[in-house]
Amino acid sequence: MLAVIGGTGFAEFSQLENITGSVVSTGYGDVYVEQGELHGQKLVFLPRHGHPPRFLPHRINYRANIDALVKLNVQRVLAVTAVGSVDPSLQVADLVIPDQIIDYTYGREHTFYEDELTHIDLTYPYDTEFRAELIHCAEQLQNVSGVWNGVYGCTQGPRLETAAEIKRLYNDGCTIVGMTAMPEAALARERDLPYAGISFIVNAGAGIEDEPIEMDVIKENLDVGLGRVVQVIGAYLKSS
Ligand code: HPA
């Protein structure tokens, strides 16, 4: 079964049918999840900012979220994230299926290995096979534009970046900027859960355009990109 983790603007998966909400208890805390169906396939939906949304990116209980998905026996995790562009050629509502991450976060509970001496491999943080299947689905869709690789720069937030920080991210090789890919991706790997991401652009990164980044504009920009993400999820479920 697929699990979809929803982020900003994706607190409800309104296209799901036969939804049942429940709370999964883990050693790290309780997690609200929904189980439902899309195109006749069962899936788990986990709104990472909570239900209703209230946890800022640095306060999300990433360990509890990943552990809850393990408890539900999901086979794959698709992480949906609203992001800013770092590559100036990207437009609002473009999709990105990143293949790499640079972690700029700090102070987050970021591992299940508190006492055990283990170093997991994270050379490729996103599951190669799962990514390839998602890319195949995205490529078939007519009205979906974007890039099928890229580096997700994960910042601490909750504030947005300075213009100089976005320039630094660009020089570091980042394509997009968001606040939630880490430690989520690493924790999924620690639990051996195949994890891939689809990001959709909701604003140009700080300093790329002249205007300041307003939350109202981000909210207005959410719908088209998210609609495209749901199309990719639908195509993936139909093909699997
Ligand atoms: N920066 C970081 N995270 C984000 C942004 C951004 O510009 N837009 C949406 N999430």
Side-chain angles (χ1 to χ4, degrees):
M1 188 169 43
L2 175 70
V4 173
I5 303 183
T8 301
F10 196 18
E12 314 265 342
F13 200 153
S14 53
Q15 293 83 354
L16 286 192
E17 291 175 338
N18 305 322
I19 299 177
T20 332
S22 60
V23 173
V24 180
S25 294
T26 77
Y28 300 93
D30 291 349
V31 180
Y32 176 81
V33 297
E34 286 177 349
Q35 304 197 47
E37 287 173 31
L38 188 65
H39 302 304
Q41 302 253 31
K42 284 193 170 39
L43 68 77
V44 172
F45 178 66
L46 191 163
R48 72 161 73 70
H49 296 282
H51 176 84
R54 60 197 181 283
F55 308 127
L56 286 161
H58 64 296
R59 305 288 294 273
I60 291 170
N61 192 341
Y62 295 96
R63 295 193 296 187
N65 287 353
I66 293 297
D67 234 19
L69 298 181
V70 172
K71 281 201 158 178
L72 292 170
N73 274 322
V74 308
Q75 267 109 37
R76 282 179 164 179
V77 179
L78 178 59
V80 179
T81 50
V83 295
S85 64
V86 174
D87 174 343
S89 69
L90 288 170
Q91 305 297 316
V92 164
D94 279 349
L95 302 193
V96 179
I97 300 181
D99 59 331
Q100 281 295 334
I101 303 175
I102 300 179
D103 186 3
Y104 300 93
T105 68
Y106 46 88
R108 300 184 179 190
E109 301 286 4
H110 65 286
T111 181
F112 290 115
Y113 293 112
E114 293 292 3
D115 303 312
E116 199 184 321
L117 191 56
T118 304
H119 304 284
I120 53 141
D121 174 74
L122 201 63
T123 311
Y124 300 104
Y126 296 105
D127 185 79
T128 311
E129 205 176 301
F130 186 14
R131 274 191 75 247
E133 288 174 33
L134 289 169
I135 290 166
H136 180 73
C137 295
E139 278 173 346
Q140 313 292 311
L141 298 169
Q142 302 288 323
N143 57 345
V144 169
S145 57
V147 289
W148 311 139
N149 52 33
V151 180
Y152 183 125
C154 188
T155 56
Q156 175 71 354
R159 67 165 178 85
L160 297 168
E161 296 70 37
T162 66
E165 286 169 338
I166 292 294
K167 263 192 201 142
R168 172 194 174 197
L169 263 62
Y170 182 77
N171 291 334
D172 283 354
C174 294
T175 314
I176 51 176
V177 58
M179 300 176 191
T180 54
M182 288 296 259
E184 199 173 82
L187 291 166
R189 180 62 53 80
E190 283 188 353
R191 288 291 196 236
D192 265 334
L193 268 183
Y195 178 95
I198 303 191
S199 301
F200 59 107
I201 310 281
V202 291
N203 60 279
I208 294 180
E209 289 175 353
D210 291 336
E211 299 81 40
I213 304 166
E214 307 281 3
M215 274 311 285
D216 289 359
V217 177
I218 291 186
K219 283 192 185 132
E220 281 165 23
N221 288 342
L222 284 165
D223 285 355
V224 179
L226 190 55
R228 291 174 172 176
V229 169
V230 171
Q231 271 185 275
V232 177
I233 297 172
Y236 170 78
L237 288 174
K238 280 186 195 160
S239 74
S240 56

